[in-house]
């Protein structure tokens, strides 16, 4: 039996720590500044590590890249709205907002690339798709949130500026300095991976501390959490089936099919949490990210199984 993923375990630990020892008062403000800085450093490192040649080359595969973007920013919101319309009483209103917010987010970068590699998929195409998704998401996600959640004031110049400063600007800076720092980043990729994950854990702890202070556990019982897990899992299953069908219908080679499935079904915790902090009041952000935290764990578990299936199939066909 495989050991539990250390990051998933740490993520649960961050939520439990926030539950037992939530950050309060002046310490919260200090921690918010620290988490903002950590997120900027994380996206700066992403800019250093992602090779421009691979991204530019795979932009030519417009059908695959277009389908990943369509699944991320069209299919997910449509499914979220449909589920909400069909079963509005399944979750409380705030939790539904979190699910709909999840549907508006870009794809992941690191896990999409890692799982595509495990599945012997088109890694370069996944790098391009995941990166493009996150860049597009900086501008598209606030607009989707405003339309899908009917949240006034989300699509604003200030919101776009705040997200761009925190996510896009560091990424662009990393890309500009890539010729100088790429080899250094490659040599220290294990340390940088720990730094990236630590940043996410810190952001989750800070946001969830707000939710605990606002009484999240008094508002969500076991039945509500079970319903949320079922909703997240159902959403993921629907997208996986649709992306598989699209890959077959377009007659993609297996490596491209893998990229479509593994990139088109993911949602980014690294981008989602800071965006929630920018787009929603601190008292609500912790509630909003709970569906994303649960979805993140479900997607990694299920997509790892899928990646192993493709890997085994590749070995048997070789």
């Amino acid at each position: 039996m495989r050991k539990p993923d250390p990051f998933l375990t740490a993520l649960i630990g961050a939520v439990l720590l926030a539950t037992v020892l939530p950050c309060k008062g002046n310490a919260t403000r200090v921690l918010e500044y620290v988490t903002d800085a950590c997120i900027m450093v994380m996206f700066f490192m992403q800019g250093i590590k992602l090779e421009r040649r691979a991204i530019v080359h795979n932009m030519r595969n417009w059908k695959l890249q277009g389908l990943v973007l369509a699944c991320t920013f069209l299919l997910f919101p449509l499914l979220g709205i449909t589920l909400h319309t069909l079963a509005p009483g399944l979750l409380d209103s705030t939790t539904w907002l979190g699910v709909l917010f999840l549907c508006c987010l870009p794809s992941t970068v690191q896990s999409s690339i890692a799982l595509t590699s495990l599945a012997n998929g088109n890694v370069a195409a996944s790098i391009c798709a995941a990166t493009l998704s996150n860049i597009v998401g900086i501008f598209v996600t606030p607009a989707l949130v405003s339309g899908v959640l009917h949240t006034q004031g989300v699509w604003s110049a200030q919101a776009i500026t705040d997200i761009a400063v925190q996510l896009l600007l560091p990424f662009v800076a990393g890309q500009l300095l890539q010729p100088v720092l790429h080899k250094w980043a490659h040599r220290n990729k294990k340390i940088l991976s720990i730094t990236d994950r630590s940043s996410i854990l810190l952001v989750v702890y800070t946001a969830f501390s707000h939710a605990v202070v606002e009484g999240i556990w008094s508002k969500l019982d076991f039945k509500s959490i079970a319903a949320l897990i079922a909703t997240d899992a159902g959403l993921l299953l629907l997208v996986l089936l649709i992306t598989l069908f699209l890959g077959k219908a377009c007659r993609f080679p297996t490596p491209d099919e893998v990229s479509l499935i593994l990139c088109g079904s993911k949602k980014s915790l690294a981008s989602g949490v800071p965006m929630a902090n920018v787009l929603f009041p601190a008292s609500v952000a912790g509630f909003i990210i709970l569906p994303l935290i649960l979805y993140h764990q479900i997607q990694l578990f299920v997509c790892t199984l899928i990646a192993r299936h493709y890997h085994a199939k590749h070995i048997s066909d070789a």
Side-chain angles (χ1 to χ4, degrees):
M1 180 179 291
R2 285 177 59 87
K3 295 180 179 179
D5 183 274
F7 180 62
L8 296 183
T9 304
L11 196 60
I12 295 171
V15 172
L16 293 176
L17 181 61
T19 300
V20 178
L21 293 173
C23 186
K24 300 178 181 179
N26 292 330
T28 302
R29 185 170 299 178
V30 173
L31 202 57
E32 285 173 351
Y33 287 124
V34 174
T35 54
D36 287 348
C38 288
I39 290 295
M40 293 178 73
V41 169
M42 182 173 67
F43 276 84
F44 174 71
M45 293 304 176
Q46 288 286 358
I48 293 173
K49 289 184 288 185
L50 294 177
E51 295 187 16
R52 273 169 284 176
R53 285 182 298 178
I55 296 172
V56 172
H57 175 74
N58 280 276
M59 282 294 293
R60 299 171 187 171
N61 193 348
W62 60 267
K63 186 180 290 187
L64 173 59
Q65 301 300 331
L67 280 176
V68 172
L69 288 176
C71 289
T72 303
F73 296 115
L74 292 177
L75 176 61
F76 261 104
L78 286 174
L79 289 176
I81 292 170
T82 301
L83 289 174
H84 182 231
T85 302
L86 293 175
L90 181 63
L91 305 170
D92 67 82
S93 58
T94 306
T95 308
W96 265 122
L97 288 179
V99 172
L100 294 173
F101 172 69
L102 151 73
C103 292
C104 299
L105 291 173
S107 181
T108 62
V109 176
Q110 290 179 326
S111 62
S112 292
I113 296 168
L115 291 176
T116 300
S117 177
L118 174 61
N120 298 101
N122 189 337
V123 176
S126 290
I127 292 173
C128 178
T131 304
L132 185 61
S133 174
N134 276 266
I135 293 173
V136 170
I138 289 172
F139 305 98
V140 171
T141 294
L144 282 174
V145 170
S146 182
V148 174
L149 278 68
H150 306 293
T151 306
Q152 300 299 319
V154 169
W155 176 252
S156 66
Q158 185 61 48
I160 298 300
T161 301
D162 289 345
I163 293 173
V165 168
Q166 196 170 23
L167 307 184
L168 180 61
L169 191 60
F171 178 83
V172 171
Q175 281 283 290
L176 292 175
L177 292 174
Q178 188 184 75
V180 179
L181 298 177
H182 181 69
K183 291 183 178 179
W184 171 83
H186 183 73
R187 288 196 305 267
N188 296 278
K189 59 183 179 181
K190 288 186 178 180
I191 296 175
L192 295 179
S193 177
I194 293 172
T195 303
D196 286 352
R197 295 187 171 201
S198 299
S199 300
I200 296 172
L201 293 173
L202 186 59
V203 174
V204 168
Y205 169 75
T206 304
F208 217 78
S209 289
H210 285 299
V212 171
V213 172
E214 293 296 325
I216 186 171
W217 296 125
S218 63
K219 298 175 182 178
L220 288 177
D221 55 16
F222 177 79
K223 183 179 178 181
S224 300
I225 295 175
L228 175 56
I229 292 173
T231 302
D232 277 354
L235 187 62
L236 176 61
L237 179 60
L238 282 171
V239 176
L240 287 172
L241 290 174
I242 292 171
T243 51
L244 176 62
F245 170 77
L246 289 173
K248 299 294 185 185
C250 294
R251 297 183 179 179
F252 283 159
T254 300
D256 286 1
E257 179 184 297
V258 168
S259 293
L260 174 60
I261 292 171
L262 294 180
C263 293
S265 63
K266 294 276 189 33
K267 289 296 179 179
S268 175
L269 186 68
S271 297
V273 176
M275 283 186 178
N277 288 334
V278 171
L279 297 175
F280 299 97
S283 59
V284 177
F287 292 85
I288 295 294
I289 66 168
L290 180 59
L292 175 60
I293 292 173
L294 293 174
Y295 186 89
H296 178 81
Q297 299 192 53
I298 296 169
Q299 75 180 5
L300 287 184
F301 176 76
V302 174
C303 290
T304 298
L305 295 179
I306 292 172
R308 288 180 187 166
H309 165 76
Y310 276 102
H311 179 72
K313 184 175 182 294
H314 175 79
I315 292 175
S316 65
D317 292 345

